[in-house]
Amino acid sequence: MLAAAKMIHSLFLVNASGDIFLEKHWKSVVSRSVCDYFFEALERATEPENVPPVIPTPHHFLINVLRHRIYFVAVIQSEVPPLFVIEFLHRVVDTFQDYFGVCSEAAIKDNVVVVYELLEEMLDNGFPLATESNILKELIKPPTILRTVVNTITGSTNVGEQLPTGQLSVVPWRRTGVKYTNNEAYFDVVEEIDAIIDKSGSTITAEIQGVIDACVKLTGMPDLTLSFMNPRLLDDVSFHPCVRFKRWEAERILSFIPPDGNFRLLSYHVSSQNLVAIPVYVKHNISFREGSSQGRFELTLGPKQTMGKAVESVLVSSQLPRGVLNANLSPSQGTYTFDPVTKLLSWDVGKINPQKLPSLKGSVSLQTGASKPDENPTINIQFKIQQLAISGLKVNRLDMYGEKYKPFKGIKYMTKAGKFQVRT
Amino acid sequence: FLFYIFRHDDLKEMLDSNKDSLKLEAMKRIVAMIARGKNASDLFPAVVKNVACKNIEVKKLVYVYLVRYAEEQQDLALLSISTFQRGLKDPNQLIRASALRVLSSIRVTIIVPIMMLAIKEAASDMSPYVRKTAAHAIPKLHSLDPEQKDQLIEVIEKLLADKTTLVAGSVVMAFEEVCPDRIDLIHKNYRKLCNLLIDVEEWGQVVIINMLTRYARTQFLNPNINESLLEENSEKAFYASDDEEEEDKKAEPATLAKRKPYVMDPDHRLLLRNTKPLLQSRNAAVVMAVAQLYFHLAPKAEVGIIAKALVRLMRSHSEVQYVVLQNVATMSIKRRGMFEPYLKSFYIRSTDPTQIKVLKLEVLTNLANETNISTILREFQTYIKSMDKDFVAASIQAIGRCATNIGEVRDTCLNGLVQLLSNRDELVVAESVVVIKKLLQMQPEQHSDIIKHMAKLIDNIQVPMARASILWLIGEYCEHVPKIAPDVLRKMAKSFTNEEDIVKLQIINLAAKLYLTNSKQSKLLTQYVLNLAKYDQNYDIRDRARFIRQLIVPTDKSGALSKYAKKLFLALKPAPVLESPFKDRDHFQLGSLSHLLNAKAAGYQELPNWPESAPDPSVRNVEVKDSIPDWSKCSSRKDRKEKKVEKPFYSDSEGESGPTESADSGNFLISLFHRMSHVLLHHSHSEQSSSAEDRKRGRKAVKNQKSASESESESESSESEEESEEESEEESESDTNVRKKRTPVLKQPPKQSKKESKKETQEMSLLDLDDYEPAPASASVTPVNFLSSSLVSDLEGLSLTDTILAPTTLAPSGSIKMYELLHRIKGEGLAVEYCFSRQPFSPEPNMVAVQIQFTNNTNSETKNLHIEDPRLQSGMRIREFAEIDVLAAGESVTVVMGIDFCDSTQAANFQLCTHTRKFFVSIQPPVGELMTPAFLTENDFKKEQGERTSALSRFNTHSCPSDCSFSSKHLSFFSFYVAVSL
């Protein structure tokens, strides 16, 4: 029997127009013609995100993810858990984003050598080796404008002179010898509301998903504990590997040696037993009449349960039926656009003023002679509420052990709309 | 083309220059070419020259190039090999690892032997990072040359025994790739893997969990075997298709017969317990791996916990959602109850990609039951209004499935679908027709009006599948619509030539059925249709026409069959069963690629069926672990130990105490202290005559050790702290405590020996323990018989200031420690170890016998092994061993040499020479090994012993003994005297 080579064989990066702009092989080279199967699937798919994540071909399997309008296509030769590959590809994208600020075709092309060095370290023979951002940054320094200038003048390199001792550590997520003059630890509690609201305005389903993102810049090896006033709210949690699970199980306290820099400490789900406060409501009247080439379109937004906080950065978007030719609307505030090709209506509302509710009114014109569309558009809403965790979650205190200095601590709360849809 | 040649010349020039910056620039451009898929192979000679470049980035880029092109330029690639071979012997572990990594990535068959050797060496490297790299190299070599399999399995077996978390994931990955069927290699490592799991890096966790799932399926019993069959049946009442139920019935007597109280193997429980926290991992692949493990292995009542975690994953990227939903779809058929509380999480948003929508629909359909069907149908109604037509079609099918599965709502669904028949979108109508057709088959009598309604649709609807469905319906139930049917046939005969093939076939069917039931009205029409079909382009249609004509139209020649034509055509047809495409997909291991594709992918390992009876569970017993309970029984610290075994998210004992320290060492250390305290307690208790004070002291000592072990296992302080603690404790002990504490212990042996004079080995080893604490740091722990070698090496690891574990090999007896004289990396393949054999050196009684073992790890013979140029302190003498002429590759040889250390602990330095090389080496004796043989009669011995014991206090002040050893038949006392005189 021929030895089955497992895990990731090769990686191709494909841009939105279907060009392969980067390839990397961890084993024998696989011809890029294997991507033809991917292109076929791409053509069949009506939308870019409808390409099946796993595409079987006669000799290989293609597993792809789409992010930032780039397809990351991994070539697999034999059985491997698909999520293993998908999760890894997303980790690659996260790393690129971390290194270059954005993960775009241009950024990847500009930094192709760093990209190659990163990919080389992240996989050995197709099996993940170093995926922890702290370890990678010790090995390969992220490019900065200053360093690029210095490097061109002095001829020095991006490759760390140090050896990656982090790989040998029991806390692989943290670099050793971290030093800061200002020691700070910031935590952002960000909650997103996923909801489906039906025609009449009642909630069909609503749930809160939250994350705690941290930016920790502390000297040495600090050991932090973070406790909550109401930890019972957290129904289902997933941790950064640094969090001590037993401690959470026993005391509902987050105890951890933090990675250096930005990281996601915790994601949580607020139990669906709790009623979710819905901060905005939408009044809508969208109607098409049989025989008429005009349809009526009216939207009004208003604040609902906002705990006295302002609802900001409101953005409404809606996919109008295919029969709609154009929209002639007037917003009471903000601006709206309608793309006649994609039929996407979007209205940048801004802040909701409870005294003067924002509205968008007018008419939409339909194709003449076409029958009235029998489907109704759904309305997607985005918004932000600063200084509020809609679930009511509150951090009690943050303590640091293991180091002598007094760090500066900060906690910020924010609520956002996740997948927030209103059916009409 | 010319431009390219020019460019390449340019690059070659840059690579040949002396400046690193130019080389770097050239390499960067070359790598960019490779990244774009451009051919840069003609630069190979110029690039490979720079393999030994000092600049790290240049070097790394050269490696990238080399790994990419070595396969194509095998001969030139060989030029680089020596650089890596040198790298393999570098004192820095990271350089060794990187050399091995690149060396093993070069796919050049000619270097297979070199790779094999390098892997073997690296597998016993002192650095776990290098060992990890060795594990990674195994699959590379295996795919390059599958014939190395047997040798590689040996290496895998060795690495599987490794106790570091760093190695575990990588070696299991190698195992899965090279020898996934060698389950027997896992037995001894099973518990260790379970315990280490939480601290392994996330990718390794996935591989280990998947492998352990398969393992558990071969070793344990099905936990659901005795679950109430009644319950099971009611559970799947709706979904159980007939054959499934039959299967159950068949299985029932068998299971009933076997029914006996099921007891879960503790190892099975261990796996479930240790994987559960990983459901909280941020890595979706880990969560999925645990979920499938629970699905395949856990008792039914416990499987539910995975639902929450899987639902959480649905918040992730759409690709993750896609895979998770596929698996949820399969699970929800078998274990519907599990996901019911999360029904709303599967509601569909208009922004979901179509493939996600369809999968969610699948799950919703699977979850539908009498109680929630009304909510689900209301949800489905909104879906039908969606703009995404593929999704609408899937929704209609979902409604159809709900209607067939849940009798109560069948009529509601049917009415809803009939309303859809007037939908503007033809696709919606067509899909509805197809679904209605299936539903009507269940109870056609009651629905002749619907059939009439559908007959009218034939004028407008163009979708072939829908037209075919309507025609089939009318044909099948023509007796319910006797007036309409011939009219439809008339219309169809008109448009016959323009229809699609499936429609034509159904027209022929309709004609035949009408001919049989209503030949008066349709005889001519049928003839006409059959004539048209006779000249159709499609041979299927021509064929069908001929066949039907023969069957239904009575002629003189027509055979016996035409009598039965009516029975043939109008037989009662069974209603179709609308089944989930995910039914029975769980025979594939969930989370696997094969499951996703519903087809076996290359390299897929079947998930074995549960065994009828469990194989012997004792195969998983490991000696060390076995002995712990025995020893700890009398200890109050037992529970503490157990707590340790059940490790927290990351084992707290690790702290920063050094990366190479095995995660288990804490345990081992504690177990050692168990033993020690036990020994001490044992002695002080059995010593009936000893004073209460003595006893107190004994306990105090135990307490001391307890605190030491506590600090070691729990403290997150750095190792240096630990060490100093340990040391200081040792010091203080040696100053006061220990001396006193020893008194009762040491008094005892004579008595005991009288009582149980011939008590053998185990007792002896107990006593041996008191050897613990000789002065030299490197040998602070003298191994004792009953400790396994792994325990010993763990302890050594702890006592070293360096974070690197010294590789230890124990003499087979275990009681004599081997010291390393020459590491095989330094010795270029020649490894030399020595031990003090504790036997008289016959040629010179003043000398200490040193047993030296040479091992040749190279591929060639080593010749003329001898000693040269000894540099010794004044008075010291050396008696060389006879020259070894030839040491064949892979062989070992043992010789004995004598050294007179002059009772000092000064090292003896000399050169070890082979025919090619000389190595400077030195032997430094630990104090306890300096001994002169003396012959005593038993009486003399006892006398001497008594004196020594009573004069113990005097001995305490001695700094170093001169001749402190006795040779005696009473070996059991021997060790005591060593201890005493220290």
Side-chain angles (χ1 to χ4, degrees):
Chain A
M1 189 192 83
L2 218 130
K6 290 211 179 176
M7 303 302 167
I8 298 165
H9 208 110
S10 304
L11 176 68
F12 294 96
L13 302 196
V14 180
N15 64 16
S17 44
D19 298 323
I20 301 170
F21 67 94
L22 187 123
E23 62 180 73
K24 168 94 181 100
H25 307 274
W26 282 273
K27 305 176 187 193
S28 303
V29 178
V30 177
S31 156
R32 50 166 73 190
S33 64
V34 74
C35 289
D36 292 349
Y37 294 97
F38 172 76
F39 295 132
E40 264 174 43
L42 190 61
E43 252 170 57
R44 267 199 304 275
T46 43
E47 302 281 326
E49 60 267 27
N50 270 333
V51 180
V54 181
I55 303 167
T57 79
H59 301 290
H60 300 93
F61 303 97
L62 305 178
I63 298 187
N64 67 85
V65 305
L66 171 66
R67 282 198 44 198
H68 309 285
R69 295 161 50 85
I70 301 172
Y71 289 99
F72 292 74
V73 185
V75 182
I76 311 295
Q77 239 177 4
S78 59
E79 174 62 48
V80 57
L83 267 188
F84 187 96
V85 181
I86 289 170
E87 181 80 25
F88 176 79
L89 291 177
H90 281 298
R91 216 53 87 72
V92 170
V93 182
D94 293 342
T95 310
F96 288 172
Q97 215 167 355
D98 194 21
Y99 264 73
F100 315 128
V102 283
C103 178
S104 64
E105 186 182 350
I108 290 173
K109 278 180 169 168
D110 287 348
N111 296 291
V112 69
V113 174
V114 178
V115 165
Y116 238 66
E117 283 166 349
L118 282 172
L119 291 175
E120 187 72 24
E121 292 299 337
M122 290 181 87
L123 280 184
D124 179 16
N125 194 35
F127 191 80
L129 190 64
T131 49
E132 209 50 71
S133 132
N134 266 280
I135 293 181
L136 287 171
K137 281 187 176 163
E138 256 184 278
L139 290 167
I140 302 150
K141 295 196 190 96
T144 60
I145 297 170
L146 183 69
R147 191 171 300 124
T148 318
V149 174
V150 172
N151 285 357
T152 30
I153 296 166
T154 61
S156 55
T157 71
N158 280 328
V159 172
E161 294 287 330
Q162 295 154 294
L163 293 157
T165 45
Q167 251 163 334
L168 308 175
S169 158
V170 282
V171 272
W173 54 84
R174 189 170 178 86
R175 294 191 286 134
T176 46
V178 182
K179 274 207 178 69
Y180 289 101
T181 40
N182 296 322
N183 288 296
E184 331 167 290
Y186 297 108
F187 294 88
D188 290 354
V189 180
V190 182
E191 296 193 336
E192 292 191 359
I193 307 173
D194 286 354
I196 302 177
I197 313 285
D198 80 356
K199 223 173 179 157
S200 59
S202 54
T203 310
I204 293 179
T205 163
E207 47 189 19
I208 298 169
Q209 311 280 346
V211 294
I212 299 183
D213 283 334
C215 176
V216 177
K217 294 181 174 173
L218 296 174
T219 307
M221 274 285 169
D223 199 331
L224 303 179
T225 58
L226 185 81
S227 61
F228 299 100
M229 306 275 261
N230 39 9
R232 282 178 180 283
L233 276 177
L234 307 184
D235 179 39
D236 182 36
V237 282
S238 75
F239 301 115
H240 189 276
C242 70
V243 177
R244 296 180 178 97
F245 183 71
K246 280 276 148 150
R247 194 87 194 272
W248 171 258
E249 284 279 90
E251 306 167 56
R252 300 273 142 179
I253 283 176
L254 294 175
S255 159
F256 55 99
I257 295 172
D260 184 41
N262 295 309
F263 66 100
R264 175 155 294 174
L265 178 65
L266 170 79
S267 333
Y268 60 88
H269 178 266
V270 176
S271 68
S272 36
Q273 270 70 38
N274 298 38
L275 275 182
V276 177
I278 301 293
V280 291
Y281 71 87
V282 183
K283 269 197 212 152
H284 51 85
N285 182 4
I286 302 168
S287 58
F288 308 100
R289 260 172 304 144
E290 196 68 64
S292 155
S293 65
Q294 293 283 310
R296 205 157 60 154
F297 190 99
E298 275 182 41
L299 272 187
T300 310
L301 290 176
K304 213 171 164 186
Q305 297 154 290
T306 62
M307 327 282 172
K309 300 278 197 299
V311 183
E312 297 167 8
S313 314
V314 181
L315 188 74
V316 177
S317 61
S318 179
Q319 180 80 46
L320 296 188
R322 239 164 272 152
V324 174
L325 269 187
N326 213 336
N328 186 10
L329 307 168
S330 58
S332 70
Q333 72 178 73
T335 52
Y336 88 95
T337 54
F338 176 74
D339 183 339
V341 180
T342 58
K343 317 287 181 201
L344 187 71
L345 173 82
S346 64
W347 174 28
D348 189 349
V349 184
K351 197 168 165 179
I352 295 184
N353 179 357
Q355 270 73 51
K356 189 173 163 292
L357 297 179
S359 62
L360 181 68
K361 287 178 184 164
S363 62
V364 290
S365 50
L366 296 170
Q367 248 160 352
T368 41
S371 52
K372 130 181 165 19
D374 50 5
E375 64 260 350
N376 275 334
T378 35
I379 298 162
N380 297 297
I381 302 175
Q382 287 166 43
F383 56 80
K384 271 183 197 165
I385 306 169
Q386 301 284 354
Q387 287 159 28
L388 172 73
I390 197 90
S391 67
L393 186 75
K394 272 227 147 50
V395 171
N396 185 20
R397 52 184 297 140
L398 175 72
D399 296 303
M400 186 183 74
Y401 305 94
E403 295 288 337
K404 297 273 180 315
Y405 55 84
K406 273 253 173 273
F408 189 79
K409 303 177 268 192
I411 308 244
K412 215 167 74 183
Y413 296 93
M414 182 156 73
T415 297
K416 290 202 287 194
K419 294 172 180 165
F420 197 100
Q421 286 198 342
V422 180
R423 291 176 178 164
T424 64
Chain B
F1 182 63
L2 276 174
F3 175 70
Y4 258 95
I5 288 176
F6 171 73
R7 276 271 301 260
H8 285 195
D9 278 346
D10 184 28
L11 288 170
K12 276 177 195 157
E13 219 166 85
M14 287 165 85
L15 286 168
D16 287 341
S17 84
N18 293 325
K19 281 190 186 161
D20 278 355
S21 58
L22 279 177
K23 286 183 179 176
L24 183 59
E25 184 54 35
M27 281 317 297
K28 281 185 172 174
R29 281 207 243 157
I30 294 170
V31 166
M33 279 167 67
I34 297 175
R36 285 201 307 272
K38 297 265 181 335
N39 188 4
S41 59
D42 54 334
L43 287 162
F44 202 95
V47 173
V48 82
K49 268 186 280 185
N50 289 301
V51 73
C53 179
K54 288 278 177 294
N55 182 305
I56 295 185
E57 190 166 19
V58 173
K59 208 185 209 166
K60 278 198 173 175
L61 295 177
V62 171
Y63 287 178
V64 169
Y65 182 92
L66 206 58
V67 172
R68 168 69 180 75
Y69 284 113
E71 209 172 3
E72 296 171 22
Q73 311 249 350
Q74 306 227 347
D75 293 343
L76 284 170
L78 294 178
L79 294 176
S80 64
I81 302 300
S82 63
T83 315
F84 300 122
Q85 280 182 301
R86 230 173 297 137
L88 287 172
K89 286 167 191 135
D90 198 280
N92 186 320
Q93 50 178 336
L94 293 158
I95 294 178
R96 288 203 300 279
S98 122
L100 179 61
R101 212 186 130 187
V102 183
L103 182 71
S104 56
S105 300
I106 296 175
R107 289 169 296 274
V108 177
T109 19
I110 206 163
I111 64 162
V112 163
I114 299 179
M115 273 167 78
M116 192 67 225
L117 185 69
I119 290 174
K120 275 187 180 165
E121 281 191 1
S124 42
D125 197 283
M126 59 186 102
S127 152
Y129 185 62
V130 176
R131 298 201 297 272
K132 181 191 177 76
T133 318
H136 276 262
I138 291 170
K140 300 186 202 170
L141 181 53
H142 183 242
S143 64
L144 189 62
D145 181 9
E147 288 186 3
Q148 304 292 322
K149 188 172 173 179
D150 292 340
Q151 287 196 61
L152 286 174
I153 291 176
E154 278 170 33
V155 182
I156 289 173
E157 191 171 3
K158 182 172 183 181
L159 285 172
L160 274 172
D162 206 297
K163 275 187 276 313
T164 53
T165 52
L166 208 55
V167 181
S170 305
V171 68
V172 172
M173 193 266 301
F175 170 86
E176 287 284 80
E177 205 144 309
V178 178
C179 51
D181 42 352
R182 287 290 302 275
I183 281 291
D184 56 300
L185 297 181
I186 303 302
H187 292 320
K188 292 274 181 240
N189 302 300
Y190 173 83
R191 288 176 197 161
K192 182 193 70 194
L193 284 173
C194 288
N195 285 323
L196 285 185
L197 191 59
I198 201 149
D199 293 316
V200 174
E201 41 85 35
E202 39 196 1
W203 309 108
Q205 286 172 344
V206 178
V207 179
I208 295 178
I209 294 171
N210 279 321
M211 185 275 290
L212 288 179
T213 309
R214 266 191 5 254
Y215 178 87
R217 272 293 190 104
T218 63
Q219 300 299 320
F220 307 128
L221 289 177
N222 183 356
N224 299 320
I225 200 154
N226 283 349
E227 90 187 0
S228 160
L229 291 160
L230 215 90
E231 202 182 305
E232 172 116 74
N233 282 341
S234 72
E235 241 282 306
K236 48 180 176 184
F238 286 112
Y239 279 91
S241 64
D242 295 0
D243 50 344
E244 204 175 359
E245 263 162 31
E246 266 165 41
E247 258 174 41
D248 278 349
K249 268 170 211 150
K250 263 182 259 160
E252 210 161 338
T255 32
L256 278 173
K258 263 191 299 187
R259 188 177 291 197
K260 56 184 172 198
Y262 166 79
V263 183
M264 187 184 273
D265 188 306
D267 286 328
H268 190 172
R269 177 50 66 202
L270 177 75
L271 178 61
L272 292 174
R273 196 176 52 220
N274 285 9
T275 47
K276 192 177 159 197
L278 293 176
L279 282 174
Q280 251 68 52
S281 171
R282 63 168 174 175
N283 186 318
V286 175
V287 177
M288 188 67 235
V290 179
Q292 66 83 25
L293 182 135
Y294 262 77
F295 182 79
H296 290 301
L297 300 182
K300 203 176 140 198
E302 292 169 46
V303 180
I305 60 161
I306 64 174
K308 199 188 266 181
L310 289 175
V311 169
R312 185 186 72 228
L313 292 188
M314 304 230 310
R315 279 275 303 170
S316 189
H317 302 286
S318 86
E319 297 88 6
V320 175
Q321 263 189 62
Y322 177 82
V323 177
V324 171
L325 280 168
Q326 296 252 359
N327 287 289
V328 170
T330 304
M331 290 182 192
S332 59
I333 293 172
K334 256 257 171 75
R335 304 246 184 269
R336 173 151 42 110
M338 181 165 116
F339 291 101
E340 259 173 21
Y342 305 99
L343 185 72
K344 287 185 172 179
S345 303
F346 299 99
Y347 280 8
I348 293 154
R349 294 181 160 79
S350 61
T351 41
D352 288 333
T354 310
Q355 49 188 357
I356 299 291
K357 287 179 184 160
V358 172
L359 283 170
K360 280 186 174 175
L361 209 52
E362 175 66 38
V363 175
L364 285 174
T365 315
N366 288 343
L367 295 182
N369 60 20
E370 296 93 329
T371 46
N372 60 22
I373 184 69
S374 57
T375 5
I376 290 182
L377 279 182
R378 214 176 308 133
E379 218 15 57
F380 283 177
Q381 265 166 18
T382 60
Y383 299 163
I384 286 164
K385 290 183 199 147
S386 164
M387 288 174 222
D388 184 343
K389 293 305 163 203
D390 293 338
F391 168 53
V392 174
S395 302
I396 293 169
Q397 285 188 3
I399 293 175
R401 254 177 59 200
C402 288
T404 49
N405 294 332
I406 302 164
E408 286 95 330
V409 293
R410 195 166 297 152
D411 288 342
T412 332
C413 289
L414 202 53
N415 287 336
L417 290 170
V418 170
Q419 278 169 31
L420 285 179
L421 292 178
S422 49
N423 193 293
R424 252 181 227 89
D425 194 292
E426 203 191 14
L427 277 170
V428 175
V429 180
E431 201 66 44
S432 311
V433 168
V434 175
V435 174
I436 290 173
K437 177 206 133 193
K438 289 178 183 162
L439 288 181
L440 283 184
Q441 266 186 277
M442 294 180 156
Q443 36 197 184
E445 324 63 52
Q446 305 159 22
H447 298 292
S448 53
D449 47 334
I450 296 178
I451 299 172
K452 276 177 206 153
H453 182 83
M454 289 173 75
K456 283 180 205 148
L457 281 172
I458 203 92
D459 295 338
N460 302 318
I461 203 157
Q462 294 306 323
V463 177
M465 191 59 206
R467 288 177 79 84
S469 294
I470 296 175
L471 292 173
W472 182 88
L473 261 182
I474 295 170
E476 189 67 20
Y477 307 113
C478 51
E479 278 155 346
H480 299 288
V481 283
K483 290 197 179 124
I484 295 171
D487 196 46
V488 172
L489 182 61
R490 182 184 58 80
K491 285 182 196 161
M492 287 298 108
K494 251 192 206 169
S495 61
F496 185 87
T497 43
N498 299 324
E499 299 289 350
E500 288 278 333
D501 290 346
I502 44 166
V503 185
K504 284 180 180 167
L505 286 175
Q506 288 308 327
I507 296 173
I508 300 171
N509 268 349
L510 173 65
K513 284 172 187 168
L514 280 178
Y515 185 91
L516 291 171
T517 53
N518 185 0
S519 63
K520 202 163 68 182
Q521 275 186 298
S522 51
K523 190 173 181 181
L524 289 171
L525 273 172
T526 308
Q527 295 280 8
Y528 176 67
V529 167
L530 288 176
N531 280 336
L532 283 177
K534 192 175 172 184
Y535 301 106
D536 199 89
Q537 283 185 323
N538 185 303
Y539 57 78
D540 270 346
I541 292 168
R542 295 197 301 271
D543 206 37
R544 176 76 62 92
R546 207 163 60 215
F547 155 69
I548 284 181
R549 192 193 294 271
Q550 289 303 315
L551 209 53
I552 59 172
V553 184
T555 56
D556 345 326
K557 285 185 282 176
S558 68
L561 269 180
S562 58
K563 274 186 276 178
Y564 303 103
K566 199 165 182 175
K567 272 189 183 158
L568 281 174
F569 280 95
L570 292 168
L572 205 61
K573 288 157 189 95
V577 183
L578 301 184
E579 265 185 355
S580 165
F582 288 89
K583 190 179 174 289
D584 288 340
R585 229 190 247 194
D586 63 329
H587 65 270
F588 287 114
Q589 188 169 3
L590 267 82
S592 67
L593 185 62
S594 304
H595 169 264
L596 190 92
L597 299 169
N598 201 15
K600 220 162 135 181
Y604 172 74
Q605 292 291 316
E606 290 283 354
L607 192 62
N609 280 325
W610 294 103
E612 290 283 305
S613 56
D616 181 15
S618 67
V619 289
R620 284 182 293 279
N621 290 349
V622 184
E623 301 76 24
V624 179
K625 296 234 166 182
D626 268 0
S627 57
I628 289 172
D630 299 342
W631 288 102
S632 55
K633 251 172 216 157
C634 54
S635 161
S636 61
R637 291 167 39 82
K638 190 186 177 189
D639 31 358
R640 143 152 243 105
K641 185 214 91 197
E642 279 174 353
K643 209 171 148 199
K644 281 298 298 175
V645 173
E646 215 182 292
K647 259 196 247 135
F649 200 59
Y650 55 75
S651 55
D652 282 344
S653 65
E654 283 181 6
E656 300 145 42
S657 56
T660 52
E661 183 196 319
S662 96
D664 270 0
S665 58
N667 290 343
F668 282 110
L669 194 73
I670 288 173
S671 65
L672 176 78
F673 280 117
H674 276 311
R675 290 167 188 169
M676 299 219 23
S677 52
H678 176 78
V679 169
L680 292 167
L681 283 169
H682 173 77
H683 284 307
S684 48
H685 286 303
S686 60
E687 235 283 30
Q688 298 296 328
S689 63
S690 75
S691 67
E693 199 192 14
D694 283 339
R695 230 174 270 166
K696 224 193 267 165
R697 280 187 198 129
R699 268 188 221 132
K700 201 173 163 192
V702 173
K703 214 167 127 200
N704 251 336
Q705 274 158 347
K706 205 188 245 178
S707 69
S709 71
E710 262 168 15
S711 72
E712 233 144 332
S713 61
E714 280 175 3
S715 80
E716 302 202 351
S717 62
S718 72
E719 187 183 314
S720 61
E721 264 174 344
E722 263 174 41
E723 173 114 33
S724 62
E725 233 171 278
E726 206 180 346
E727 266 170 16
S728 66
E729 200 210 21
E730 252 169 47
E731 272 161 29
S732 63
E733 269 188 28
S734 55
D735 283 348
T736 53
N737 251 339
V738 169
R739 298 295 145 102
K740 289 180 199 155
K741 168 190 89 191
R742 283 262 152 69
T743 327
V745 179
L746 295 171
K747 267 187 201 159
Q748 207 221 328
K751 288 176 191 168
Q752 203 182 29
S753 72
K754 271 171 217 155
K755 273 184 268 170
E756 341 165 18
S757 54
K758 289 289 176 318
K759 199 99 195 227
E760 38 346 59
T761 38
Q762 207 192 10
E763 198 60 43
M764 173 180 110
S765 49
L766 274 180
L767 305 178
D768 249 355
L769 250 184
D770 290 19
D771 255 353
Y772 180 64
E773 60 88 293
S778 64
S780 67
V781 179
T782 306
V784 282
N785 267 341
F786 68 99
L787 299 182
S788 84
S789 57
S790 55
L791 168 55
V792 172
S793 57
D794 270 311
L795 285 167
E796 273 158 22
L798 281 176
S799 65
L800 286 171
T801 30
D802 199 327
T803 51
I804 286 163
L805 272 170
T808 43
T809 321
L810 289 173
S813 74
S815 62
I816 294 179
K817 185 181 151 97
M818 296 294 281
Y819 300 89
E820 179 173 275
L821 193 59
L822 185 63
H823 189 263
R824 72 193 163 287
I825 289 176
K826 267 198 215 144
E828 293 175 3
L830 179 69
V832 187
E833 289 178 321
Y834 66 96
C835 66
F836 296 92
S837 56
R838 295 179 189 171
Q839 259 151 33
F841 188 64
S842 44
E844 294 232 20
N846 284 343
M847 285 191 173
V848 177
V850 182
Q851 192 175 318
I852 302 184
Q853 187 181 13
F854 295 91
T855 311
N856 184 357
N857 293 319
T858 60
N859 283 353
S860 54
E861 291 180 339
T862 305
K863 290 175 195 160
N864 303 51
L865 273 166
H866 62 282
I867 285 175
E868 255 177 35
D869 190 19
R871 274 175 295 155
L872 308 167
Q873 300 285 320
S874 60
M876 279 168 72
R877 286 174 309 128
I878 200 163
R879 177 105 176 202
E880 295 165 16
F881 56 86
E883 182 173 308
I884 303 166
D885 293 336
V886 175
L887 183 57
E891 296 277 302
S892 296
V893 69
T894 308
V895 293
V896 180
M897 70 183 284
I899 304 175
D900 182 356
F901 285 99
C902 273
D903 300 339
S904 77
T905 52
Q906 296 293 328
N909 299 307
F910 52 88
Q911 279 184 25
L912 205 59
C913 303
T914 68
H915 64 299
T916 49
R917 286 288 311 266
K918 295 178 179 186
F919 305 102
F920 285 99
V921 293
S922 75
I923 295 181
Q924 185 169 26
V927 195
E929 300 287 4
L930 291 178
M931 43 183 97
T932 10
F935 291 93
L936 298 172
T937 64
E938 196 171 334
N939 283 339
D940 284 348
F941 177 78
K942 281 176 186 159
K943 203 174 121 201
E944 195 82 4
Q945 193 179 30
E947 269 175 31
R948 297 257 171 178
T949 319
S950 60
L952 189 72
S953 53
R954 270 189 289 127
F955 274 96
N956 287 343
T957 53
H958 290 184
S959 58
C960 194
S962 46
D963 55 341
C964 53
S965 316
F966 302 85
S967 157
S968 157
K969 278 178 280 179
H970 300 263
L971 264 177
S972 57
F973 305 138
F974 172 85
S975 53
F976 268 101
Y977 279 85
V978 177
V980 166
S981 37
L982 282 175

